Amino acid sequence: DNEISSEGVEYLIATLESNQTIVYLELAGNVDIDPDLEEEVRSILEPRENFYKSEPELDEVEALMERVRNNDPTLTELDLCSMEVGTRDDALSMFDALAGNSYIRKVDLSLNEIDDDCLSSISLALLDNKSITHLNLANNAISSEGAEYLIGTLEENKTLEEIYLRENNIHNSVLEEIDAILNERQGSTRVESSGSSELGATVRSLTANDPNLVELMLDGIDLGHSSETEALIDALASNTVVTKLSFDNTDMDDSLVAALSLALVDNQTITNLSLRNNQITSEGCEYLLGTLDSNTAIAFLDVSGNLIDEHLMNEIDAIVSQRKSQVGRSPMDNISFLLQRVKSNDPTLTELVLDNRPDELRSHEIEAILDALAQNSIVRKISLCNNDLDDSLVAALSLALVDNTSITHVLLSDNQITSDGCEYLLGTLDSNTTVSYVDLSGNLIDEYLLNEIDAINSSRNSRADLSPPSMNTTEPTRVESDIDSSKPPMHEVPEESDAELAKRAAIMAIMRNTSIPPQEKNKRITELQQKYYVPKDEEPPHSQAENAVAEDDIGNVIDRVIDNDRKLVKVELDGQNLNREDETALFDALAQNSRVKSLSLVNCRITNEGAAELVSTLQQNSTLTHINLEDNQISSNGAIDFIAVLKEYNETVQYLELKDNRVRSGLISQMNKILEKRRPGEPEPMVAATVATTSYAQAAPVTAAPTMPADVDSSSQKSGSRSRKSGKSKSKSSGDSRKSDRRKARNAPAD
């Protein structure tokens, strides 16, 4: 189905004669090929097929997904546990097969390095699936943002009964929201980081002193409502194997802490205890302090994110700090002591090395250290490798580096930093030219961002000595970046705008608030990035609706676009449940329209498919200046297409809003950089006409203006624009035909 001619086939035949590995070549649908040449191709390939009697053998995952696609009635449980699904090249597309399957009841995707992007694909598939009742996503790399995709899915999918999210990086408030949805539809069904049956199995393993159970991570379980909690704590008292225990985000209160404290009086093997982000007060902390008097084995205790007085927190820190020094670490390496050295600008502290200390770096003190670095002028090198650092701590470090002028080496390898965290650092490197080397290897960062970091390292390395800073270094190395300015960096944002300054101040306030849990900080920072990426003073003004047109609908709006209605200069269909036929008809009509200047499709469930059609429209349309696509389902790939069309074909669009889509902030910044240059001044006022909406959302105004600027002409098409699939000029009669076809499609019964 291409446009290959006989001449092209002759090139292929020449290749086949020298390339012996090709065994199959399909040329059907190319009408200009000589049959003799097709026969010659077959005669070359047929002998080779004898060596390939069967299809290449699929790997286990591919074989299972093939059965899913074929809707195999015997496959009711899809077990992909520990098959490295999240690292596969086809991870984002393989789950599409679940959408059309009607037999699978249980899906196990635990231990697969599944991240938020994978979960987004899974969530989209589950919107259509009506058979899956149990979903296991335990032990993956899912954050609170990813879990929120599930919340959106649960609003549409009423079949899911249980979701397991144990051992992920999800805030308890998000788990509780999912929990509430499932409880409402299924009586006693709960979503826990570990189901009650799993917790019962854990109790049995503790009681039996299972030699393999050395670390017990039960983060996210609602211990206050579990019938197994009492048995679990009793089992810990007599267990002699577990050395590390984590009860983060478990709604643990003082009564449970009292019970746990009594159990730890007898237990002498647990050395690491984490109780972060619970409901523990100072009274509960007193129980723990009493236990520490008799239990000398506990060397790491984290109770940050609770309702505990600072003097009690300091008392716990003092006890565990002393114990850490006794088990082989110098007291000078204690976090509290290091904080004082950073604050006091200790002239002997030129290297701050805190590698392999994840338990300590979870405490509130590390944030205090990062804040103190902003004013420190001695430290040259900071190393925080292998510490489970997330984006919130990287954001705090990035803000500190904005003011710091001494640090040249930043080593952050083998953590939990994502592309968002990397973009914080890239934004800092725009203004901080002192840092000459950054190591982010071993994190969850897109390759193109790592390449950008490498480019900065290389450019600064060409002018600076990258050897580790010596103890007697007196002046920081300063290197100017020579990154190619002809291509706007993915992370670049306006440096001098009021909005940028406000954003930085807001993020700094969040990072300095020690009462906010790390995951909540990360969520709030993400919201601030979305809020400020387009300065409010640059948004186009919108006039109030006049001349209401009662009972108008989507079809009539599209008809007016097709008719090139001279009064229709603004189309607003926010909140409308547009189907694919509506999207195609609207975008086809806009390609030929010379009147509409503003298009708003907020919350219309537009996907990359619809975005691709709008991209094609923008190759021809030379009238649209304002496009709002906020709160849809467009991904970074769709944003890349928009950037390409704005660079190569369209020169008239001045505003294109993609906030609250699945688009990385760096791409939004790059697109904004292109559009900012096109905004000459305030747009002319537009008179709006209200159009009645469906029950899906609020009213959608369509703006009309009685007069139009003289330079707007229906024939003003961009020269050299690429042909669309329906790129021929459409006459009035063809517009009428499209109206009729679309109305038939809208009124046709559903399949």
Side-chain angles (χ1 to χ4, degrees):
D1 297 318
N2 287 296
E3 298 178 1
I4 302 172
S5 66
S6 297
E7 181 180 358
V9 176
E10 288 177 347
Y11 294 137
L12 290 171
I13 291 174
T15 298
L16 292 174
E17 290 173 349
S18 60
N19 184 319
Q20 303 298 316
T21 60
I22 298 174
V23 297
Y24 181 80
L25 177 60
E26 177 63 68
L27 293 169
N30 294 282
V31 296
D32 295 329
I33 299 177
D34 188 333
D36 291 339
L37 291 176
E38 290 184 317
E39 181 60 33
E40 186 175 352
V41 170
R42 283 192 290 270
S43 67
I44 295 173
L45 296 180
E46 281 178 358
R48 302 181 186 181
E49 295 176 2
N50 295 330
F51 295 98
Y52 298 89
K53 299 294 185 181
S54 61
E55 291 291 328
E57 185 175 355
L58 299 175
D59 66 33
E60 187 175 357
V61 174
E62 289 174 334
L64 282 171
M65 296 311 296
E66 186 66 19
R67 293 177 65 189
V68 175
R69 278 187 285 272
N70 294 333
N71 212 13
D72 185 346
T74 65
L75 184 64
T76 59
E77 295 188 11
L78 179 60
D79 186 1
L80 296 174
C81 176
S82 193
M83 291 190 180
E84 299 182 343
V85 170
T87 63
R88 294 173 62 93
D89 292 338
D90 61 345
L92 296 181
S93 61
M94 64 181 291
F95 299 109
D96 292 346
L98 290 173
N101 189 281
S102 57
Y103 292 99
I104 295 175
R105 299 290 182 267
K106 295 183 178 181
V107 177
D108 188 351
L109 292 168
S110 57
L111 294 164
N112 270 304
E113 297 185 41
I114 288 175
D115 59 12
D116 293 348
D117 289 337
C118 284
L119 187 53
S120 172
S121 298
I122 296 169
S123 300
L124 289 174
L126 291 175
L127 287 173
D128 296 323
N129 184 282
K130 305 303 179 186
S131 64
I132 296 173
T133 59
H134 292 66
L135 178 62
N136 189 350
L137 295 167
N139 297 90
N140 282 297
I142 302 168
S143 73
S144 297
E145 180 181 358
E148 287 174 353
Y149 293 142
L150 284 175
I151 294 175
T153 296
L154 288 173
E155 293 174 359
E156 299 289 330
N157 182 309
K158 308 300 182 183
T159 311
L160 278 169
E161 297 175 359
E162 293 185 17
I163 303 175
Y164 300 98
L165 292 164
R166 172 170 50 90
E167 297 286 347
N168 283 287
N169 197 23
I170 303 172
H171 193 268
N172 204 38
S173 62
V174 179
L175 290 173
E176 288 173 351
E177 188 171 355
I178 299 176
D179 186 10
I181 295 172
L182 294 181
N183 278 337
E184 183 178 354
R185 70 172 61 165
Q186 185 70 16
S188 62
T189 299
R190 300 189 60 81
V191 57
E192 301 178 337
S193 293
S194 176
S196 58
S197 60
E198 290 180 325
L199 196 57
T202 300
V203 171
R204 291 189 290 272
S205 295
L206 286 172
T207 304
N209 264 328
D210 183 348
N212 296 316
L213 188 58
V214 179
E215 295 186 3
L216 183 56
M217 314 295 286
L218 298 177
D219 301 341
I221 298 177
D222 189 350
L223 291 177
H225 296 86
S226 175
S227 59
E228 300 288 347
T229 301
E230 183 177 352
L232 174 72
I233 292 176
D234 288 342
L236 283 170
S238 57
N239 184 275
T240 58
V241 178
V242 175
T243 61
K244 185 174 182 179
L245 178 64
S246 182
F247 282 172
D248 297 344
N249 298 310
T250 57
D251 277 344
M252 177 170 278
D253 58 15
D254 292 345
S255 62
L256 289 180
V257 169
L260 178 61
S261 299
L262 290 174
L264 292 175
V265 170
D266 297 324
N267 184 294
Q268 295 295 315
T269 57
I270 294 176
T271 59
N272 291 257
L273 177 60
S274 181
L275 302 173
R276 296 184 303 147
N277 302 326
N278 285 296
Q279 305 300 318
I280 305 169
T281 70
S282 297
E283 180 180 355
C285 186
E286 297 277 6
Y287 295 135
L288 290 170
L289 284 167
T291 296
L292 292 176
D293 288 340
S294 57
N295 182 319
T296 58
I298 298 175
F300 299 89
L301 174 58
D302 188 356
V303 290
S304 59
N306 286 285
L307 310 172
I308 300 173
D309 290 340
E310 187 174 358
H311 76 276
L312 293 176
M313 296 280 288
N314 293 336
E315 189 171 349
I316 286 182
D317 287 339
I319 294 173
V320 297
S321 295
Q322 182 180 5
R323 295 181 182 182
K324 292 171 193 173
S325 64
Q326 293 172 352
V327 294
R329 180 168 286 158
S330 167
M332 293 186 67
D333 287 336
N334 171 260
I335 296 293
S336 298
F337 187 68
L338 286 172
L339 173 59
Q340 296 306 316
R341 295 179 68 190
V342 174
K343 283 184 173 180
S344 63
N345 233 4
D346 184 340
T348 65
L349 185 64
T350 59
E351 297 189 14
L352 186 59
V353 180
L354 296 171
D355 299 338
N356 306 307
R357 299 168 73 168
D359 295 282
E360 297 168 86
L361 296 189
R362 289 176 176 176
S363 71
H364 59 285
E365 290 177 310
I366 183 59
E367 293 183 8
I369 286 180
L370 296 178
D371 283 344
L373 283 173
Q375 306 303 320
N376 185 280
S377 60
I378 303 297
V379 175
R380 302 292 185 264
K381 173 182 175 182
I382 179 169
S383 185
L384 297 168
C385 303
N386 192 29
N387 279 308
D388 293 333
L389 294 186
D390 60 13
D391 292 343
S392 63
L393 288 178
V394 173
L397 174 60
S398 299
L399 290 171
L401 290 175
V402 170
D403 298 321
N404 183 282
T405 58
S406 64
I407 294 175
T408 61
H409 289 60
V410 179
L411 310 181
L412 301 171
S413 61
D414 301 314
N415 285 293
Q416 300 298 316
I417 304 168
T418 72
S419 296
D420 290 339
C422 181
E423 287 178 340
Y424 295 147
L425 283 171
L426 284 165
T428 296
L429 292 176
D430 285 343
S431 58
N432 181 315
T433 57
T434 307
V435 175
S436 55
Y437 183 77
V438 178
D439 182 7
L440 286 170
S441 59
N443 285 285
L444 310 172
I445 299 173
D446 288 341
E447 185 176 359
Y448 77 90
L449 290 175
L450 289 175
N451 291 339
E452 194 167 346
I453 289 287
D454 289 342
I456 294 174
N457 287 341
S458 298
S459 66
R460 299 185 180 187
N461 184 27
S462 64
R463 303 184 183 184
D465 178 11
L466 287 185
S467 58
S470 60
M471 297 294 287
N472 59 359
T473 303
T474 57
E475 291 295 329
T477 304
R478 292 183 175 272
V479 183
E480 296 297 329
S481 171
D482 59 357
I483 298 176
D484 183 6
S485 60
S486 64
K487 181 179 181 181
M490 303 293 279
H491 58 280
E492 192 169 288
V493 294
E495 295 181 4
E496 302 298 330
S497 69
D498 292 339
E500 177 63 16
L501 295 175
K503 179 182 73 174
R504 288 187 182 277
I507 293 177
M508 181 72 79
I510 291 174
M511 298 314 304
R512 286 179 172 170
N513 189 337
T514 58
S515 66
I516 305 176
Q519 291 307 313
E520 178 64 19
K521 287 184 179 182
N522 199 19
K523 179 180 178 182
R524 293 188 187 183
I525 288 172
T526 300
E527 292 173 348
L528 284 171
Q529 293 284 358
Q530 295 173 342
K531 175 181 178 182
Y532 284 103
Y533 87 92
V534 174
K536 293 298 181 183
D537 56 1
E538 292 186 4
E539 290 184 352
H542 298 292
S543 58
Q544 297 298 317
E546 297 178 3
N547 304 322
V549 182
E551 302 301 325
D552 211 343
D553 61 10
I554 298 173
N556 289 335
V557 172
I558 296 174
D559 290 344
R560 293 179 66 190
V561 176
I562 292 173
D563 292 339
N564 214 15
D565 185 337
R566 67 183 184 83
K567 294 184 178 181
L568 183 64
V569 295
K570 179 178 177 183
V571 173
E572 262 189 41
L573 295 172
D574 298 346
Q576 298 286 351
N577 190 10
L578 299 179
N579 56 42
R580 288 292 300 118
E581 290 80 7
D582 291 333
E583 292 178 12
T584 300
L586 176 61
F587 296 148
D588 279 351
L590 284 170
Q592 308 302 324
N593 185 281
S594 61
R595 303 294 184 182
V596 176
K597 289 187 174 184
S598 176
L599 173 66
S600 184
L601 299 173
V602 177
N603 188 23
C604 289
R605 300 187 179 183
I606 296 174
T607 64
N608 281 353
E609 188 176 4
E613 291 188 342
L614 180 54
V615 166
S616 296
T617 293
L618 293 178
Q619 292 178 12
Q620 299 185 59
N621 183 284
S622 58
T623 308
L624 280 169
T625 59
H626 296 70
I627 301 174
N628 192 345
L629 299 175
E630 294 180 1
D631 196 16
N632 282 292
Q633 298 171 11
I634 302 169
S635 73
S636 294
N637 288 335
I640 290 172
D641 291 341
F642 279 120
I643 291 172
V645 76
L646 291 172
K647 284 183 175 180
E648 299 175 19
Y649 296 100
N650 185 289
E651 299 176 352
T652 54
V653 173
Q654 298 175 15
Y655 295 87
L656 204 167
E657 310 284 358
L658 288 175
K659 186 173 68 173
D660 295 331
N661 282 277
R662 297 168 187 177
V663 179
R664 296 200 177 280
S665 57
L667 292 173
I668 292 177
S669 297
Q670 184 182 4
M671 185 170 63
N672 239 20
K673 192 76 174 180
I674 297 170
L675 297 177
E676 284 172 356
K677 301 174 182 178
R678 305 181 177 185
R679 302 169 186 167
E682 295 296 324
E684 297 178 7
M686 299 180 183
V687 182
T690 302
V691 176
T693 68
T694 64
S695 60
Y696 184 81
Q698 73 277 10
V702 175
T703 305
T707 59
M708 287 292 295
D711 60 345
V712 178
D713 189 279
S714 61
S715 62
S716 59
Q717 299 295 329
K718 181 176 174 63
S719 61
S721 60
R722 188 178 298 169
S723 174
R724 307 179 60 213
K725 63 181 180 182
S726 56
K728 295 182 179 180
S729 176
K730 297 178 176 63
S731 65
K732 182 70 168 66
S733 60
S734 66
D736 293 339
S737 175
R738 282 183 290 135
K739 294 180 196 176
S740 176
D741 292 342
R742 178 168 44 73
R743 285 168 179 157
K744 291 178 182 177
R746 290 177 61 84
N747 296 325
D751 291 336

